[in-house]
Amino acid sequence: MKLVGASRGRWRDCKNSCCVLCISAVGQLGGPQTSQVTEWRNLDPRRMQMPQGNPLLLSYTLQELLAKDTVQVELIPEKKGLFLKHVEYEVSSQRFKSSVYRRYNDFVVFHEVLLHKFPYRMVPALPPKRVLGADREFIEGRRRALKRFINLVARHPPFSEDVLLKLFLSFSGSDFLPADIQTQFAMSRELIRNVYNSFYKLRDRAERIASRAIDNAADLLIFGKELSALGSDTTPLPSWAALHLSTWGSLKQALKGLSVEFALLADKAAQQGKKEENDVVEKLNLFLDLLQSYKDLCERHEKGVLHKHQRALHKYGLMKRQMMSAAHGREPESVEQLESRIVEQENVIQTMELRNYFSLYCLHQETQLVHVYLPLTSHILGAFVNSQIQGHKEMSKVWNDLKPKLSCLFAGPHSVLTPPRSPQEDGMCPH
């Protein structure tokens, strides 16, 4: 999709969303109801850091306030829409070393957001909206009033430190974005989709490996308990087996003692399984949650902002065709009504265009955030390898300690206890 350049440098959004640019940038406040209590919540004594000295006294002098920033607002009369001229202003900030284009409605949105976020602060009033037949004197007076408004805001202590002001004075739509942002977005989405699919499979395998270790622990514990039960059996031997009474008694005693080692083996296997669940599976789940949130964001961009932008463009095209038909039929009233609707639709398109810009800007930032998390792969693999090494090392030690205790289980000629020999020792082929 080719981005329309008509609203280059705009900072504008519909009032119903309470300026998606600001709200998104300051933490997704979600709307006026939430932002109205933002400042009140900040009054929590546990979170406040009281300034040194008397907290009831303002610590700024006039010179310090004036030095915070100087903002210039200049008229740009050349900017115009399809039928009616739109007055635009170039807003330049010394503090942020920025210059952006703003319209009166942009100031209105910014003013409303300030009122919502700072309900207990002095928010300067805006000059009145444009009236029909406004002359140069009215436009110049409004420019001066807007300049006074933005300078008072830029020098107000709480306002001057808020991200809303920085966005208004410095965010300029597509200027922040690379020229090939659409191509980058498509490539990044495909890459992250493939990464997600691979990590999803890795997570499933890791879960199975950890589950097998825990199942192995349960089997080893039951195995040891059965050996203990066998060694504790008190059933008397029949008379014809009395010759082997001493051998059976020794075997039972040995079997009963082996349960301790098998319980220890079970404990080591369970520890390995839990460690892999915590250090491997959970980290994989963490990364998968991040990747899923990126996929959801891409879907919201395509089905939300991008879809609405394309729909607004389509409606705009229909209106233009209707306008041409009405003009050809020489119906003055219809032409005027359509002209008004087209101007309104042009504003909608500009709003959707800027939303698309900001959505792509956020996607660009979120894509980089995902790539920052990619090295987590090495941490996950390292945790998996270390778990396997440590687990097998500890279990190998227990198995080696267990092996000498097996010698009493095997009786050789003349009652000499010997362990079984390997096939090679018997002169037999291993096959």
Side-chain angles (χ1 to χ4, degrees):
M1 182 195 70
K2 182 178 180 181
L3 297 178
V4 181
S7 64
R8 174 185 174 274
R10 293 289 178 85
W11 182 89
R12 190 160 179 239
D13 218 316
C14 67
K15 301 176 185 178
N16 294 334
S17 64
C18 193
C19 182
V20 69
L21 299 185
C22 293
I23 292 177
S24 300
V26 297
Q28 303 295 334
L29 298 178
Q33 294 79 6
T34 304
S35 54
Q36 283 177 341
V37 297
T38 301
E39 190 175 13
W40 175 253
R41 288 179 179 173
N42 291 337
L43 296 179
D44 186 347
R46 295 169 297 180
R47 300 173 58 188
M48 291 178 62
Q49 293 184 355
M50 299 302 294
Q52 295 181 356
N54 191 339
L56 297 179
L57 296 180
L58 187 66
S59 59
Y60 291 94
T61 65
L62 175 60
Q63 289 74 16
E64 289 173 337
L65 291 178
L66 295 178
K68 278 184 171 291
D69 198 0
T70 298
V71 183
Q72 300 294 336
V73 178
E74 301 297 337
L75 186 66
I76 306 177
E78 293 80 8
K79 295 292 181 180
K80 60 182 180 180
L82 181 64
F83 294 98
L84 299 178
K85 290 185 177 181
H86 298 295
V87 178
E88 283 197 337
Y89 306 92
E90 182 177 5
V91 182
S92 305
S93 167
Q94 287 187 359
R95 176 187 175 188
F96 297 109
K97 296 179 176 58
S98 60
S99 180
V100 292
Y101 296 154
R102 300 288 180 253
R103 286 172 55 182
Y104 175 77
N105 286 341
D106 301 330
F107 282 89
V108 171
V109 173
F110 179 56
H111 182 265
E112 290 181 354
V113 176
L114 285 176
L115 287 174
H116 284 303
K117 190 172 185 182
F118 299 98
Y120 309 115
R121 300 290 183 181
M122 296 189 304
V123 179
L126 286 175
K129 294 184 178 180
R130 182 175 184 173
V131 296
L132 294 177
D135 54 15
R136 292 180 178 271
E137 183 178 352
F138 171 83
I139 295 175
E140 173 61 18
R142 191 171 68 175
R143 181 197 67 80
R144 292 175 179 271
L146 291 175
K147 180 180 178 180
R148 295 193 301 269
F149 162 80
I150 194 61
N151 275 281
L152 285 173
V153 171
R155 294 163 181 170
H156 190 284
F159 301 163
S160 64
E161 302 303 322
D162 196 272
V163 69
L164 297 176
L165 178 67
K166 182 177 181 181
L167 278 174
F168 185 80
L169 293 177
S170 61
F171 182 79
S172 54
S174 60
D175 291 348
F176 278 96
L177 303 177
D180 59 343
I181 182 64
Q182 292 288 355
T183 303
Q184 289 188 23
F185 168 59
M187 293 173 60
S188 296
R189 186 176 187 184
E190 182 65 23
L191 170 63
I192 292 175
R193 182 188 292 114
N194 295 335
V195 171
Y196 177 88
N197 293 335
S198 296
F199 269 83
Y200 188 88
K201 296 175 182 178
L202 287 173
R203 192 274 314 274
D204 285 350
R205 296 298 123 179
E207 282 183 337
R208 294 181 63 178
I209 292 172
S211 178
R212 281 200 298 268
I214 295 175
D215 291 342
N216 185 36
D219 292 338
L220 287 170
L221 186 61
I222 294 174
F223 195 93
K225 287 182 177 180
E226 290 302 322
L227 291 178
S228 179
L230 186 60
S232 302
D233 186 83
T234 57
T235 304
L237 286 174
S239 58
W240 52 266
L243 293 176
H244 302 281
L245 180 60
S246 60
T247 303
W248 176 235
S250 299
L251 284 173
K252 289 203 300 180
Q253 188 65 26
L255 293 173
K256 188 175 182 180
L258 293 178
S259 62
V260 177
E261 278 72 17
F262 277 94
L264 184 57
L265 285 168
D267 182 63
K268 297 297 183 183
Q271 289 181 15
Q272 180 179 349
K274 291 296 182 182
K275 187 174 181 61
E276 289 172 354
E277 282 184 344
N278 295 330
D279 296 346
V280 180
V281 177
E282 276 306 302
K283 287 181 179 178
L284 285 169
N285 281 327
L286 174 71
F287 193 47
L288 282 173
D289 288 345
L290 178 72
L291 296 176
Q292 183 62 52
S293 65
Y294 181 85
K295 292 174 61 180
D296 294 341
L297 175 62
C298 293
E299 187 172 350
R300 289 199 303 273
H301 170 75
E302 290 190 340
K303 293 185 177 181
V305 177
L306 186 59
H307 177 70
K308 290 179 180 178
H309 186 204
Q310 292 173 342
R311 190 169 57 185
L313 289 173
H314 177 70
K315 185 176 180 180
Y316 182 67
L318 293 178
M319 287 183 175
K320 286 177 63 179
R321 287 194 289 271
Q322 292 176 3
M323 181 69 182
M324 294 175 63
S325 299
H328 183 71
R330 297 181 180 180
E331 302 174 5
E333 294 183 0
S334 300
V335 172
E336 291 180 0
Q337 292 176 357
L338 280 172
E339 180 179 310
S340 176
R341 289 173 57 194
I342 287 176
V343 171
E344 181 180 352
Q345 186 63 20
E346 185 185 46
N347 291 333
V348 172
I349 291 174
Q350 292 168 347
T351 297
M352 290 297 102
E353 183 183 75
L354 186 63
R355 280 189 177 184
N356 186 53
Y357 280 144
F358 191 74
S359 178
L360 287 170
Y361 169 76
C362 291
L363 275 167
H364 186 65
Q365 297 293 311
E366 298 303 301
T367 302
Q368 295 178 64
L369 179 61
V370 171
H371 283 271
V372 170
Y373 270 90
L374 282 176
L376 187 64
T377 307
S378 60
H379 295 270
I380 296 172
L381 290 176
F384 177 68
V385 172
N386 290 335
S387 173
Q388 291 291 320
I389 292 174
Q390 185 68 21
H392 287 294
K393 181 180 179 181
E394 293 180 357
M395 293 188 70
S396 177
K397 184 179 183 304
V398 178
W399 285 116
N400 287 326
D401 293 342
L402 175 63
K403 185 176 180 180
K405 299 181 181 181
L406 300 180
S407 59
C408 61
L409 298 179
F410 308 102
H414 308 295
S415 299
V416 178
L417 299 177
T418 58
R421 296 188 300 174
S422 65
Q424 290 86 344
E425 293 173 331
D426 290 334
M428 298 173 61
C429 177
H431 299 290

